[in-house]
Amino acid sequence: MQKEKFYVTTPIYYGNGLPHVGHFYSSIIANTLYKYAKISGKKARFTTGIDENSQKAVIKAEEQGVPIMEYLDTMANEHKKVWDFFNLDYTDFIRTTEKRHHTLVQEVLTTCHKRGDIYEGEYEGMYCVGCEAFKKDDDLVILDTATNKTLPLDVKGVPEGGGIGQYVRVCPDHLKEPDKIKEKNYFFKLSKYQTWMQEFYEANPEFVVPKFRFNEVIAFVERGLEDFSISRETNTFGIPLPFDPSQVTYVWFDALFNYYTSCKYSPHPQPLSQGARGVEIDGKMFYDESDVWPADVHIVGKDIIRFHAIYWPAMLASYFGLGEEREGVLHYVETDREKLPATILTWGYFTVDGQKMSKSLGNVIEPVSYATEYSKELLTLYMLSAIPIGNDGDYDRKSAIETYNAKLANNLGNLVNRVVVLSLKLPSPHPSPLPLGEGIDGILMDNRAIIDWEKINNWLWDVYYTEVDTFVSHYDLKWALDISFYTLDKINKYTDENEPWKLIKTDEEKTREVLYTIAEWLRQVGMCLYPFFPEKMSEMFHKLGLTDYETRLENGELHTLRSETPVFEIKEKGEPLFMRIEVEK
Ligand code: ME8
């Protein structure tokens, strides 16, 4: 039987800086969704990487006096080091300077050109190198160079009383005046896709999540789509247009197709496609994994939503030849869906302790050093549980520590510790038909006839699993975490009510039952939390004496494991699972 598939991507980050917490956020969402799909037995794929064909990188390399490729190789390694530190389980790390990507983009450009969707023209206007985007007047804000503050967006023209050159129009994100440009360019006929796009949105109301961001996109499209420039004459670094090599394609037409290159020319054949034939490009083998296309979810920040929600479907429509022309107008047809990404999941911007993250304020959270100082799980937990995906959010450092202490160190960590310590105090188990080994303390066996099994079962199967699976499939990771910690609260309550630390002095049999019950709850919640905190949950399974859990989950056995009757062969106390962190005053 064909396995269900799941394909998730992060934006490819610009390689001219190191990843900060904003990048970490999309990567950890992607990793969690990927892991959840994988343990659920899906054919899962997770692509991340870096966006290299940009003017910004060329400028940086020149500033440092190193050849561009040497600079990019160093940066690609630095990026990988960050993701490897967090053990992110990406299937593919793509670099847009790779030959496989050049091959694909040139094939796309040729196809779209032949279809008549790319034409030659002249561009005159403004270009922001920081955004790698052309700007219109409306896109800019006014900067008061005397105070270095931007004026409200609704201020029209230059306020009175300013000195000469005091007020300049700048890009709101980079606070720099865009370059004035006049050059020959090639344009993409986005306007041809106006009706098609509106019909596509209409038929797919969940294309952009959350809804309020989709509404912004829809309103933008309703104002009318304009053709956009896809090439630059003055840039020399990038992918040349196959039909006019004096021009290189400018960043978006190139960058967005990374998501497809990664499947079409995959460095690894996935288990399901054994026998897939490889092609050799630049001495490396690549495999056609395009059966995982389209992406199930692209994770993107709000600043790049228009590119993903408008340009991207239109480019794909042009490449794949989607739509049906009737009386000179292109219309959307239901089967187009099979080639288009299912969801664009967007998030907002973070501030740190209520302030904009900026180098000059010294409040940029650098994920590796922050996680080294505190804990990886603290960062993941706070990012995924304090900020609902979609909204702008604040990273409140004090509250991050408090959340970690309450949920991971106290709630989960203490429970594990209790079960382990008390189990080790129990004498060797009673004879059992199970092959347990002899004379080992701390073994908890199944005893479902007399423990509170029904209660657990009802909650787990009727509520918890359904809710977690549903939340995750709607990309609602906050709620998946919240219900898991709510379940842990229930186990803590059960533990407090049964007081196994007292019971152990009087009733060994009943203690065994209570501890088994707690351990079983922990096993079940641990499997749902595994995609969020894989290292710590593996450690917890190990403490509970469950062998092979990590391997079996990674092999997609979540559903089998949920129904299994485990034996907990607890052997040693070891270090606490989560150390408490002191809150800084
Ligand atoms: O845009 N809070 O790359 P990028 C939250 N190469 N998110 C933030 C943030 C903040 N303070 N700062 C940045 C690019 N981001 C392109 C993508 S994809 C085909 C090409 C987010 O490195 C930002 O919103 O500038 C963006 O989505 C992502 O980080 C990557 O940004």
Side-chain angles (χ1 to χ4, degrees):
M1 199 181 71
Q2 182 79 1
K3 271 197 198 180
E4 206 183 320
K5 64 98 189 167
F6 181 76
Y7 178 31
V8 56
T9 68
T10 69
I12 44 169
Y13 309 119
Y14 285 124
N16 57 311
L18 289 174
H20 60 57
V21 83
H23 306 112
F24 174 81
Y25 186 58
S26 63
S27 293
I28 199 70
I29 295 172
N31 196 58
T32 309
L33 294 174
Y34 167 71
K35 285 263 187 212
Y36 206 90
K38 190 174 173 196
I39 70 171
S40 307
K42 293 186 184 167
K43 174 179 177 171
R45 184 176 189 89
F46 162 21
T47 294
T48 190
I50 50 175
D51 191 351
E52 300 185 299
N53 299 320
S54 90
Q55 260 324 89
K56 287 195 260 199
V58 175
I59 293 168
K60 268 278 173 74
E62 273 167 11
E63 278 168 13
Q64 295 186 9
V66 286
I68 178 71
M69 276 321 292
E70 191 180 312
Y71 171 77
L72 291 173
D73 288 346
T74 311
M75 293 309 285
N77 278 337
E78 292 300 315
H79 275 246
K80 276 191 188 162
K81 269 195 228 160
V82 172
W83 308 132
D84 292 346
F85 170 84
F86 286 99
N87 267 327
L88 295 196
D89 197 8
Y90 49 83
T91 328
D92 192 4
F93 185 94
I94 187 167
R95 298 179 54 182
T96 53
T97 48
E98 284 177 77
K99 190 80 190 340
R100 61 169 166 156
H101 184 61
H102 282 225
T103 309
L104 190 281
V105 170
Q106 291 205 322
E107 181 197 318
V108 168
L109 288 166
T110 306
T111 309
C112 299
H113 187 238
K114 279 194 187 141
R115 210 181 289 291
D117 284 354
I118 293 177
Y119 64 91
E120 195 184 317
E122 185 170 81
Y123 186 85
E124 186 168 4
M126 293 172 292
Y127 187 81
C128 171
V129 176
C131 298
E132 296 284 11
F134 291 103
K135 297 281 169 184
K136 293 209 155 82
D137 272 350
D138 293 0
D139 298 326
L140 305 178
V141 291
I142 297 166
L143 178 76
D144 180 345
T145 51
T147 59
N148 219 21
K149 289 208 168 98
T150 50
L151 301 175
L153 285 171
D154 56 355
V155 173
K156 291 270 183 288
V158 172
E160 280 177 25
I164 295 166
Q166 182 180 343
Y167 300 108
V168 282
R169 285 191 162 267
V170 294
C171 157
D173 293 330
H174 298 94
L175 302 186
K176 287 205 178 113
E177 275 186 274
D179 297 339
K180 290 192 179 57
I181 279 175
K182 186 175 176 185
E183 62 180 38
K184 175 178 128 181
N185 273 183
Y186 284 84
F187 286 79
F188 177 70
K189 248 189 219 170
L190 185 64
S191 53
K192 168 179 157 186
Y193 293 90
Q194 178 77 42
T195 306
W196 178 89
M197 190 83 68
Q198 283 173 295
E199 290 172 355
F200 162 57
Y201 291 165
E202 184 85 24
N204 297 282
E206 304 213 330
F207 177 56
V208 177
V209 172
K211 189 80 195 147
F212 73 94
R213 295 221 189 274
F214 197 16
N215 289 339
E216 286 166 14
V217 169
I218 293 171
F220 183 85
V221 172
E222 274 167 4
R223 289 200 288 275
L225 291 176
E226 287 175 24
D227 298 350
F228 65 90
S229 158
I230 63 150
S231 71
R232 299 290 315 274
E233 188 175 48
T234 43
N235 293 11
T236 46
F237 190 67
I239 305 179
L241 300 183
F243 40 85
D244 183 352
S246 70
Q247 301 248 330
V248 296
T249 184
Y250 115 87
V251 70
W252 289 103
F253 218 88
D254 156 3
L256 287 161
F257 270 97
N258 91 82
Y259 303 134
Y260 190 64
T261 304
S262 170
C263 314
K264 181 85 180 160
Y265 297 111
S266 169
H268 317 284
Q270 300 247 307
L272 261 203
S273 313
Q274 269 157 16
R277 288 234 306 274
V279 287
E280 196 181 317
I281 302 176
D282 235 9
K284 289 188 202 135
M285 287 305 280
F286 294 103
Y287 302 86
D288 188 348
E289 288 284 331
S290 48
D291 58 343
V292 296
W293 188 259
D296 290 79
V297 54
H298 292 309
I299 297 168
V300 305
K302 67 177 177 184
D303 53 334
I304 52 175
I305 175 81
R306 280 187 202 169
F307 301 108
H308 283 80
I310 305 170
Y311 289 15
W312 183 220
M315 287 173 184
L316 287 168
S318 174
Y319 175 51
F320 289 118
L322 306 183
E324 200 177 86
E325 205 178 302
R326 275 176 262 134
E327 290 161 23
V329 177
L330 192 74
H331 291 274
Y332 173 78
V333 286
E334 201 42 49
T335 47
D336 292 350
R337 197 78 196 86
E338 292 159 21
K339 293 287 184 196
L340 299 167
T343 301
I344 311 289
L345 183 65
T346 51
W347 76 89
Y349 272 163
F350 304 120
T351 48
V352 174
D353 297 333
Q355 285 182 304
K356 193 176 169 192
M357 211 175 8
S358 88
K359 280 200 184 126
S360 52
L361 288 172
N363 66 351
V364 175
I365 296 184
E366 194 276 300
V368 175
S369 53
Y370 182 84
T372 309
E373 186 177 354
Y374 298 100
S375 120
K376 290 179 196 172
E377 290 72 30
L378 178 148
L379 188 56
T380 303
L381 174 71
Y382 193 68
M383 297 232 90
L384 296 185
S385 66
I387 307 161
I389 299 174
N391 296 11
D392 287 335
D394 183 45
Y395 195 96
D396 181 323
R397 287 192 242 218
K398 187 160 170 253
S399 147
I401 299 175
E402 286 165 353
T403 309
Y404 164 89
N405 281 340
K407 295 190 171 173
L408 291 176
N410 293 354
N411 193 344
L412 177 56
N414 278 352
L415 258 176
V416 176
N417 199 42
R418 271 183 171 166
V419 150
V420 169
V421 169
L422 289 171
S423 299
L424 288 170
K425 285 188 182 159
L426 285 169
S428 304
H430 300 294
S432 145
L434 295 165
L436 294 176
E438 278 171 23
I440 307 162
D441 285 355
I443 293 182
L444 302 170
M445 289 170 296
D446 180 39
N447 222 337
R448 291 179 185 188
I450 37 181
I451 57 169
D452 293 276
W453 185 247
E454 206 175 316
K455 217 154 102 189
I456 299 186
N457 231 6
N458 288 348
W459 172 257
L460 286 178
W461 294 96
D462 296 348
V463 185
Y464 182 54
Y465 292 153
T466 325
E467 300 255 304
V468 174
D469 292 348
T470 312
F471 287 139
V472 175
S473 63
H474 287 90
Y475 311 123
D476 213 336
L477 299 181
K478 174 183 164 39
W479 289 105
L481 279 171
D482 283 358
I483 191 157
S484 297
F485 286 104
Y486 177 71
T487 305
L488 287 166
D489 285 341
K490 282 169 92 78
I491 317 174
N492 261 311
K493 193 159 166 272
Y494 169 85
T495 312
D496 288 343
E497 277 165 12
N498 285 282
E499 302 183 306
W501 50 92
K502 279 193 189 156
L503 211 54
I504 197 166
K505 294 176 191 146
T506 54
D507 187 342
E508 185 202 316
E509 192 58 24
K510 178 80 178 137
T511 310
R512 237 176 244 290
E513 291 159 23
V514 169
L515 292 180
Y516 185 91
T517 308
I518 303 168
E520 174 57 0
W521 278 99
L522 284 171
R523 180 183 82 96
Q524 297 283 2
V525 176
M527 289 191 289
C528 290
L529 288 183
Y530 177 83
F532 295 85
F533 314 111
E535 288 167 67
K536 285 291 176 186
M537 289 306 99
S538 298
E539 213 177 303
M540 182 184 87
F541 296 136
H542 183 74
K543 277 178 180 295
L544 293 176
L546 299 165
T547 46
D548 282 351
Y549 261 56
E550 187 178 348
T551 316
R552 292 189 63 195
L553 284 169
E554 291 289 327
N555 281 340
E557 291 185 42
L558 173 69
H559 298 288
T560 317
L561 283 168
R562 277 179 176 172
S563 329
E564 267 182 17
T565 303
V567 172
F568 299 95
E569 210 169 318
I570 297 166
K571 292 199 178 112
E572 57 178 0
K573 183 167 168 252
E575 293 289 309
L577 194 57
F578 296 103
M579 304 295 255
R580 268 188 70 81
I581 298 172
E582 288 311 313
V583 181
E584 287 144 24
K585 296 279 176 301

